[in-house]
Amino acid sequence: MTETRVRPLDGAPGSSTLVNDDLAPTTKETATWRTWDIFCLWMTSAHSIASYGFAVGMLALGMTGWQTMLALFTGVLVLWLGSNLVGVAGQKVGVPFPVFARAAFGVFGANVPALLRAIVAVFWYGIQTYLASTALMVLLLRVSPGLASWTESSFLGLSTLGWIAFLVLWTVQLAIINYGMEVVRKASDFAGPAVWLGMIALAIWILGKAEWSIDFNARAGAPLSGGATVAAFVGVAFLMVSFMAGPLVNYADFARFAPSKRAVLRGNAWGIPFNETAFVILSIVISLATLKVYGKVLSDPVELVADIDSDVVVIVAAVLFATATVGINVVLNFVSPSYDFSNAAPRYISFRAGGIITAVLSILVMPWKLWANQDFIIYFLGGVGALMGPVFGILIVDYYLVRRQHTAVAELYADTPEGRYWFSRGFNPKALTALALSGTVAVIVALAPDSREVTALSWPVGAALGALLMYAFESARPSVSRSESASRSATG
């Protein structure tokens, strides 16, 4: 792998081996993500086959339609609060997530949370690519029914047509990321609104079949007692946060491109409580209609699309779903690991090279097998919360309470013992210990046998414990100065 060109960073001590063009701070020229772009980013995040499947899956836990919507809305509010905390910090400091994490974990220690996030993103990248490929297969089979023979044989659990659809979308996404963050912004601006057309059209079609009447008191699972309903409600709310736990942690990757704090806060407000709530309501409405029409809830909207008689409608809907899923994949599951892998060796791994690593690993995990496991979504989301919750808690406490919103930006790239974030050989033992302890507890919670309600608490348990431990360690023996300069030329 060739060495990437390194841009000198004003004021950075040492040899600056920890910086390349992709990891360098944002400039006024690159701060192009305004309110609309942040809004579309969150639209793209919410509008996917996986997001619909998640919302419908929560309905199957036994609550009624309106209880499920209220629980998901509660989770959305928690996500909104978290995104404001991360987004404001990311915009002010102006660096991607793995570089931002250097202030808390050390210039080398930041690779631990960064690579944890990268692993999560690789799994989601593969899953989203597979789900988009199912929409593409519906399109191909409707256009050319003769291709059905290509679904009869399989290799590693995926049919010939499945492999073709998967690799086509895999290649398209790799091409998008190759052109950098500006093209990612444009892809997000298109993909976010696009799926609304498909979802609204699908809602109209299925509501027509349901004679324009649905029962919000209907439920897909067995009725729950009062205590079980409360437990399920809390579980669904925090599973909503866990579903977005990865993107929440690395939100600085995008917020840093916003020209102002106001743009971040306004984009978050429109994109999360307003937009994500609307998508949840639409998903539940569609699922309740399918429950009435088919006698069961269909967790995949592609199944509904395939049942539509009109070839034109099927083709348009399949294109929209595939486009939307590709959009969310590039924005949420490709950008982050590209930065995270680059951060591990900035001089030798560029943003684009990190993207290639991500793409290759996404095939090796065979996401179609993971998605076929019925319990996978609950335990994987719990695992995501277990890993990402502590990282979130530690970063928030470190930035807002320990460093009081001051970061010496140039020092984030210092690779010598004189650097402010060198700590102990480039690692902050306090942050890493807090992560290890809180992560262990959260994983135990996430893997609790036969208890989905307990599993769902892995994110809040991990986030709270990570935050408390980080604050306790720093309070007992401060390792950073609370009077760091707030000058934007040297700090964020």
Side-chain angles (χ1 to χ4, degrees):
M1 192 173 295
T2 60
E3 183 173 322
T4 61
R5 182 169 60 86
V6 175
R7 179 172 65 186
L9 187 67
D10 294 340
S15 58
S16 294
T17 58
L18 297 177
V19 63
N20 61 30
D21 283 348
D22 302 306
L23 298 178
T26 306
T27 64
K28 291 183 179 180
E29 291 72 24
T30 56
T32 58
W33 289 60
R34 302 187 182 277
T35 297
W36 171 255
D37 302 303
I38 299 295
F39 173 43
C40 288
L41 168 71
W42 289 113
M43 273 204 293
T44 304
S45 304
H47 303 171
S48 71
I49 296 172
S51 298
Y52 170 86
F54 167 74
V56 173
M58 297 304 97
L59 182 65
L61 294 181
M63 292 191 296
T64 63
W66 70 267
Q67 288 172 337
T68 303
M69 286 192 293
L70 186 58
L72 290 170
F73 175 68
T74 303
V76 166
L77 293 181
V78 176
L79 177 63
W80 180 34
L81 174 61
S83 70
N84 284 338
L85 292 172
V86 177
V88 168
Q91 190 279 326
K92 184 178 182 181
V93 180
V95 298
F97 157 66
V99 177
F100 182 86
R102 292 174 185 176
F105 290 90
V107 291
F108 298 138
N111 283 313
V112 175
L115 291 178
L116 286 176
R117 171 65 183 112
I119 292 171
V120 171
V122 165
F123 276 90
W124 270 123
Y125 176 75
I127 289 170
Q128 294 281 14
T129 301
Y130 167 67
L131 293 176
S133 72
T134 63
L136 181 57
M137 285 182 63
V138 168
L139 170 63
L140 293 174
L141 290 172
R142 183 58 67 99
V143 172
S144 180
L147 292 175
S149 61
W150 291 23
T151 64
E152 297 172 359
S153 60
S154 67
F155 174 69
L156 296 177
L158 199 60
S159 68
T160 301
L161 186 60
W163 272 108
I164 292 173
F166 182 87
L167 291 177
V168 165
L169 294 176
W170 183 89
T171 304
V172 169
Q173 293 169 117
L174 192 59
I176 292 174
I177 206 72
N178 187 59
Y179 287 97
M181 287 298 292
E182 185 60 18
V183 172
V184 170
R185 179 181 69 83
K186 294 177 180 178
S188 173
D189 287 354
F190 174 76
V195 76
W196 269 114
L197 300 176
M199 287 295 287
I200 291 173
L202 186 60
I204 293 173
W205 175 77
I206 191 64
L207 284 172
K209 291 181 72 71
E211 299 179 345
W212 304 99
S213 173
I214 57 174
D215 182 8
F216 280 98
N217 286 314
R219 63 184 84 226
L224 302 175
S225 64
T229 299
V230 172
F233 186 96
V234 174
V236 168
F238 281 114
L239 278 173
M240 177 69 202
V241 183
S242 292
F243 184 76
M244 295 295 292
L248 176 60
V249 161
N250 73 275
Y251 183 34
D253 289 341
F254 304 96
R256 76 186 188 108
F257 290 109
S260 67
K261 172 182 175 181
R262 182 184 181 190
V264 172
L265 293 177
R266 291 178 64 181
N268 287 351
W270 282 104
I272 302 179
F274 173 76
N275 171 74
E276 295 222 15
T277 298
F279 189 82
V280 163
I281 292 174
L282 191 61
S283 297
I284 296 299
V285 166
I286 292 174
S287 64
L288 291 175
T290 62
L291 181 62
K292 179 178 180 180
V293 174
Y294 298 100
K296 63 179 180 178
V297 171
L298 300 181
S299 61
D300 187 348
V302 175
E303 292 184 55
L304 290 177
V305 170
D307 196 44
I308 298 175
D309 295 330
S310 171
D311 288 345
V312 174
V313 174
V314 169
I315 292 172
V316 171
V319 169
L320 288 175
F321 280 128
T323 300
T325 306
V326 166
I328 187 177
N329 223 11
V330 169
V331 169
L332 298 188
N333 303 316
F334 217 164
V335 170
S336 176
S338 295
Y339 280 127
D340 297 336
F341 288 129
S342 178
N343 187 70
R347 284 192 175 275
Y348 301 98
I349 303 177
S350 66
F351 178 77
R352 291 175 177 81
I356 294 173
I357 293 172
T358 302
V360 171
L361 291 177
S362 72
I363 298 177
L364 298 180
V365 301
M366 293 189 288
W368 48 90
K369 288 184 176 291
L370 299 176
W371 192 253
N373 188 327
Q374 293 182 355
D375 293 327
F376 174 76
I377 187 169
I378 295 294
Y379 282 98
F380 183 71
L381 287 176
V384 171
L387 296 173
M388 296 297 100
V391 174
F392 173 82
I394 291 168
L395 290 179
I396 293 302
V397 162
D398 176 72
Y399 181 75
Y400 285 98
L401 299 183
V402 175
R403 289 185 287 114
R404 306 295 178 86
Q405 303 185 52
H406 298 315
T407 306
V409 177
E411 296 280 349
L412 293 171
Y413 303 91
D415 59 355
T416 64
E418 294 74 28
R420 182 169 295 175
Y421 305 117
W422 180 261
F423 299 106
S424 177
R425 298 183 180 181
F427 297 84
N428 184 356
K430 297 173 185 177
L432 292 171
T433 300
L435 177 60
L437 293 176
S438 57
T440 298
V441 173
V443 166
I444 292 173
V445 173
L447 300 181
D450 303 322
S451 180
R452 293 183 176 183
E453 290 79 7
V454 174
T455 294
L457 298 178
S458 61
W459 187 89
V461 168
L465 187 56
L468 289 172
L469 288 174
M470 183 65 178
Y471 188 74
F473 292 158
E474 284 293 344
S475 296
R477 190 176 179 182
S479 59
V480 298
S481 170
R482 297 189 181 215
S483 60
E484 295 179 348
S485 172
S487 172
R488 188 62 174 91
S489 62
T491 68

